[in-house]
Amino acid sequence: MQDNSRELFALEKKFWQSMVDTDTDTAIELLYEPAFMVSAHGSMKFDHAGYRKMAEQGSMVVKSFRLSEMEATFPSDGVAVLSYKVHQILSPRGKSEKVEQQMTDTSTWIHDGDAWRCVMHTEAPTAKGE
């Protein structure tokens, strides 16, 4: 089984940067359809149109991020699970106030034809002291 960790870490960072840049088209290219997300707001399944609506009309926007402690595992050919910590700064859409968060995230990527695509993402607040 080939270790594509560096490629996947770069794709994960590219997805995060697409959120900062409000580059929805790039994000959609990196998403499997449908995809899932689990967060403090619950679980959701969405298609590309649903992601576009969230990214372009959602109540919060990502202003900056820093990923650390990235790890990858490959449970089978064409499947990768990434785990990492993220320091993110968010703002309510159209406002200058900032919300700083420390989170622990995972992303599951599948090799779909000629490209890796994210099919599942989870996020949870990092335990205090971490």
Side-chain angles (χ1 to χ4, degrees), residues 14-15 17-31 47-57 93:
K14 183 177 181 179
F15 190 91
Q17 190 61 50
S18 76
M19 291 189 290
V20 171
D21 297 341
T22 58
D23 181 359
T24 309
D25 291 334
T26 293
I28 286 172
E29 288 174 13
L30 296 170
L31 283 172
D47 59 11
H48 288 169
Y51 178 81
R52 184 176 298 282
K53 184 175 181 183
M54 282 188 296
E56 296 176 358
Q57 299 172 22
R93 187 171 299 279

Side-chain angles (χ1 to χ4, degrees), residues 68-88:
S68 63
E69 300 181 37
M70 295 187 86
E71 295 188 54
T73 189
F74 297 85
S76 66
D77 288 340
V79 177
V81 180
L82 307 184
S83 176
Y84 56 92
K85 291 187 178 177
V86 61
H87 174 260
Q88 59 189 15

Side-chain angles (χ1 to χ4, degrees), residues 2 16 23 34 40 69 76 83 96 102 119:
Q2 185 176 4
W16 275 89
D23 181 359
E69 300 181 37
S76 66
S83 176
S96 60
Q102 299 283 347
V119 67

